[in-house]
């Protein structure tokens, strides 16, 4: 896959610029996953001549209305004019404005911010790039690096990560994911439910309820902690799926793994909270 062949450079790019993408999403309603995928692809992970000389991460050309500085580069034709920016942040901002102000992209803003496939295909259909595989390449990048997890964040989430006090264990945005439609964070060493609750502006009591754990519960390093209520059913793709219990697993860890409530797991298997499970046992997930 194209994205995998650029592994380390791509991941470094996302680590460096994901906050900018989420900020743009909060301001203009453009999925952060799309902004990141376009940025990393158009700029060759920040290593292209346009990116290094002009801070241009999105390959935006300098049309007749552009009054700022320019650089020249070969593209569809030799020595074409491209916009030059003072900073990468200016490039991200201008990319958003370019989409917002251009009527041919208006249809994109009627799509859900969670519909990255629709956005990728819409960009290609609207003529953002001449590459016939442009939409497919963006989608491949998003899926390979799970960039859609950033589409579930708010600007407040990112700012809280940056400004959290030293007494609160920091949460790496890269540790955030989604399962069965519910977002979660994987805990770091020594991190408590109170730490997570503070960072995401959720009451500790509610966090315990979401994760079905008692007061005073201490999560282990790397444990999944949901930031919103889990679903009552597993994803449709798991219909008739049997989970084989591994050593050390519990009803709770299995429910967390699939993003479902404990009562669902018990009900699916005709069991009660008093039941015991053992390694090798099969449990119906949906």
């Amino acid at each position: 896959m194209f994205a995998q062949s650029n592994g380390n450079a791509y991941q470094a790019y996302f680590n460096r610029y994901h906050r900018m993408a989420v900020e743009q999403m909060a301001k203009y309603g453009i999925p952060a996953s799309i902004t990141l995928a376009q940025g990393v692809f158009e700029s060759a992970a920040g290593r292209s001549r346009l990116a290094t000389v002009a801070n241009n991460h999105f390959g935006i050309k300098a049309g007749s209305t552009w009054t700022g500085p320019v650089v020249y580069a070969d593209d569809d034709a030799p020595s074409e004019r491209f916009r030059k920016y003072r900073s990468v942040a200016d490039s991200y901002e201008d990319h958003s404005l370019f989409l917002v102000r251009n009527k041919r992209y208006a249809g994109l803003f009627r799509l859900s911010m969670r519909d990255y496939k629709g956005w990728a295909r819409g960009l290609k259909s609207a003529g953002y790039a001449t590459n016939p595989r442009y939409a497919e390449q963006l989608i491949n990048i998003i899926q390979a690096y799970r960039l859609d997890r950033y589409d579930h964040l708010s600007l407040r989430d990112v700012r809280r990560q940056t400004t959290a006090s030293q007494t609160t264990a920091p949460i790496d945005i890269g540790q955030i994911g989604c399962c069965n439609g519910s977002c979660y964070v994987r805990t770091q060493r020594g991190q408590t439910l109170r730490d997570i609750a503070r960072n995401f502006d959720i009451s500790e009591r509610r966090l315990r309820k979401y994760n079905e754990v008692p007061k005073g519960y201490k999560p282990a390093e790397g444990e999944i902690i949901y930031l919103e209520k889990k679903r009552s059913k597993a994803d449709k793709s798991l219909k008739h799926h049997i989970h084989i219990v591994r050593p050390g697993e519990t009803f709770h860890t299995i429910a967390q793994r699939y993003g479902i409530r404990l009562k669902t797991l018990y009900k699916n298997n005709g069991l009660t909270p008093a039941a015991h499970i053992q390694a090798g046992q099969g449990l119906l997930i949906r």
Side-chain angles (χ1 to χ4, degrees), residues 151-167:
D151 298 339
H152 295 266
L153 297 180
S154 68
L155 184 57
R156 181 174 61 181
D157 294 335
V158 175
R159 285 176 175 168
R160 282 186 178 277
Q161 183 206 22
T162 304
T163 61
S165 68
Q166 294 180 353
T167 59

Side-chain angles (χ1 to χ4, degrees), residues 86-107:
R86 291 177 300 176
S87 66
V88 176
D90 285 348
S91 177
Y92 269 67
E93 177 77 8
D94 191 54
H95 168 259
S96 296
L97 294 175
F98 180 77
L99 297 182
V100 169
R101 293 172 176 173
N102 197 320
K103 291 183 179 180
R104 64 179 175 173
Y105 300 114

